[in-house]
Amino acid sequence: MSYFSRRKFLGKTGALLSAMVAAGFITSTAMAADYPTAEVNTTGLAVTDDTVTVGILHSLTGTMAISETGAQEAEKLAIKQINESGGILGRQIKIIQEDGASDWPTFAEKSRKLLRNDKVAAVFGCWTSASRKAVLPIFEQENGILYYPTFYEGLEQSKNVIYTGQEATQQILAGLDWVAEEKGAKTYFLIGSDYIWPRTSMKIARIHIEKVLGGQVVGEEYKPLGDTQFGSIINRIRLRKPDVIFAAVVGGSNVAWFKQLNAAGITSKNQTLLTLSVTEDEVLGIGGENLEGFYSVMKYFQSLDNPNNVEFVKAFKEMHGADSVIGDVTQAAYLGPWLWKAAVEKAGSFDIDKIVEVSRTGEIELDTAPEGYVKLHPNHHLWSKTRIGQWNRDGQATVVFESDLIEPNPFPEGYQ
């Protein structure tokens, strides 16, 4: 990049992109003429001499919109910054956005449209494991690439998916180890929404509690996604008096769950609660007063104090409003376009098979992620840290624990 191009670049995108240049994540402003379309697109993707088209597929409506809105906002921010820094192989990124509408058949239908009709070069999307499972056969059949941002249960590895969130060993097991050691927990009440991620997560949690930690599960309950009636479960929690409520309630149901807990007098003053599924995005609806003192286990919190995150939060709020918040999945979604850019530029091609090949080298890494250094493992998951955040009344979390980098292991022995 020339001196004058670099000055223009820095003027537009600020210190975050400057750090990316310094770290080598952004290497240069490639010219499209250096990468002829016929050479970088041999499989008929939506790539022209000037543009490359990608898809964004999240729930903008329905019960999951509370969780997924931030993810698509972060993906748009990353794409805007990439375009301002010169694009990818000299091409500006265009977006086709679809609404999964919190409905798994709709996710499947929209992914089929994006891949078959629109021929997008990549898709950034999904949130729930149910939506990911619904689209997975289509991505594998059509040989598309999905960058999936959500913490999930593991037990999956696909050529056609890059998982930028945590798998079970990086969230569930690490979180349970912390609460057992820090709180001396022996008894656990498990609760989740009724679909694949919470049920599989709680199956893994039960094995770990009983066989590794020597604890006891005194209750396990599930409610349909979107359900708002938790009174009977709260009564059972009161009766069984667990040391820890271990929760994976998802989406809009979280609002009712935490408000009803608070109304029933179950607060952090008398109960330890550790959740897998509440980020700053959900807190907007739940209210900090209903969460104060409870814990979430994530890899990212908006309150992280590092230069990368300070610049990221600033850029996000400038684009999406001063009152916007950033949760774990939102940050993981932001990584997707940058990881895709790195893979495309390393491969010198938009072809999916070539992107997958370089993604499996273990050489795609990012020093400038808001969460801190991450690296893509050959199993398509990220090395990342586990953090425990304790919620404050203002809707932000104080990080009370941070692990070293944890190698992703989506198929842990003894938990399958």
Side-chain angles (χ1 to χ4, degrees):
M1 183 183 292
S2 71
Y3 170 77
F4 295 104
S5 295
R6 183 177 174 84
R7 286 193 63 185
K8 182 178 179 182
F9 162 67
L10 293 177
K12 286 183 175 180
T13 57
L16 176 62
L17 296 184
S18 176
M20 288 180 172
V21 172
F25 192 65
I26 300 172
T27 54
S28 64
T29 304
M31 300 299 293
D34 297 329
Y35 297 93
T37 301
E39 295 180 9
V40 301
N41 177 31
T42 68
T43 58
L45 298 173
V47 179
T48 71
D49 291 345
D50 303 310
T51 65
V52 54
T53 302
V54 302
I56 290 179
L57 177 58
H58 288 291
S59 295
L60 305 179
T61 57
T63 189
M64 290 309 302
I66 187 176
S67 298
E68 297 192 55
T69 298
Q72 59 91 21
E73 290 175 341
E75 288 154 357
K76 289 177 180 178
L77 172 61
I79 289 168
K80 174 178 179 288
Q81 291 175 332
I82 291 169
N83 281 340
E84 289 177 347
S85 68
I88 180 168
L89 299 188
R91 291 159 173 84
Q92 293 288 288
I93 303 170
K94 295 173 61 178
I95 298 170
I96 296 176
Q97 184 162 6
E98 298 290 349
D99 180 10
S102 306
D103 178 70
W104 323 142
T106 300
F107 269 94
E109 173 192 345
K110 297 299 186 180
S111 67
R112 190 176 292 109
K113 171 190 175 293
L114 288 170
L115 295 176
R116 289 185 182 176
N117 298 348
D118 300 319
K119 306 290 186 183
V120 295
V123 176
F124 307 97
C126 297
W127 200 102
T128 66
S129 287
S131 64
R132 188 192 71 255
K133 291 291 189 184
V135 307
L136 182 59
I138 298 162
F139 275 85
E140 292 181 339
Q141 181 180 13
E142 301 296 327
N143 199 29
I145 188 83
L146 171 68
Y147 284 79
Y148 175 67
T150 313
F151 41 80
Y152 85 114
E153 68 279 1
L155 308 181
E156 181 180 296
Q157 180 181 332
S158 172
K159 163 195 170 184
N160 300 94
V161 181
I162 302 295
Y163 308 82
T164 65
Q166 311 93 294
E167 44 76 27
T169 68
Q170 297 169 310
Q171 187 188 30
I172 300 168
L173 305 189
L176 287 170
D177 287 346
W178 175 83
V179 79
E181 180 177 349
E182 187 70 20
K183 301 296 182 180
K186 296 294 184 184
T187 59
Y188 300 77
F189 194 104
L190 313 181
I191 177 171
S193 297
D194 194 5
Y195 72 96
I196 184 172
W197 174 65
R199 281 195 173 271
T200 306
S201 295
M202 293 308 173
K203 179 181 177 181
I204 292 169
R206 179 183 282 271
I207 292 170
H208 195 66
I209 289 166
E210 294 177 346
K211 295 187 176 181
V212 177
L213 300 178
Q216 180 185 4
V217 175
V218 298
E220 183 171 355
E221 299 282 349
Y222 298 92
K223 297 288 282 184
L225 197 62
D227 199 301
T228 60
Q229 301 301 318
F230 290 91
S232 61
I233 291 177
I234 290 172
N235 287 336
R236 285 192 282 276
I237 290 171
R238 279 173 154 171
L239 180 65
R240 296 173 191 179
K241 297 180 173 60
D243 295 331
V244 175
I245 300 172
F246 192 62
V249 178
V250 169
S253 296
N254 267 311
V255 178
W257 161 238
F258 282 102
K259 286 185 176 181
Q260 288 169 32
L261 278 175
N262 193 33
I266 298 177
T267 71
S268 62
K269 294 178 181 178
N270 53 40
Q271 178 67 63
T272 298
L273 183 148
L274 179 63
T275 175
L276 299 172
S277 53
V278 172
T279 76
E280 289 84 346
D281 294 292
E282 287 78 20
V283 177
L284 276 180
I286 297 168
E289 69 277 7
N290 296 307
L291 273 170
E292 187 175 12
F294 289 149
Y295 300 92
S296 285
V297 53
M298 299 289 165
K299 67 173 181 172
Y300 171 87
F301 292 95
Q302 183 180 320
S303 59
L304 288 183
D305 186 15
N306 67 64
N308 297 341
N309 191 48
V310 169
E311 291 299 329
F312 169 58
V313 171
K314 179 182 177 182
F316 190 92
K317 287 180 175 289
E318 286 176 351
M319 184 171 182
H320 297 297
D323 294 332
S324 58
V325 298
I326 304 167
D328 180 277
V329 179
T330 299
Q331 190 266 169
Y334 176 76
L335 302 184
W338 288 109
L339 291 167
W340 175 64
K341 179 182 188 292
V344 168
E345 293 185 342
K346 186 172 181 62
S349 174
F350 293 101
D351 291 352
I352 302 301
D353 287 344
K354 293 177 182 177
I355 291 172
V356 170
E357 183 179 354
V358 300
S359 295
R360 288 176 172 172
T361 62
E363 297 175 1
I364 303 296
E365 57 187 5
L366 179 56
D367 288 321
T368 50
E371 69 182 81
Y373 174 82
V374 295
K375 183 177 181 178
L376 185 59
H377 194 281
N379 64 24
H380 283 200
H381 295 72
L382 294 181
W383 290 75
S384 59
K385 295 182 177 182
T386 296
R387 295 179 172 97
I388 306 290
Q390 186 172 30
W391 292 106
N392 302 310
R393 183 169 283 265
D394 66 359
Q396 292 296 306
T398 300
V399 176
V400 297
F401 170 79
E402 178 178 292
S403 74
D404 295 329
L405 279 173
I406 300 176
E407 181 177 6
N409 179 14
F411 297 96
E413 186 176 353
Y415 292 88
Q416 300 176 38

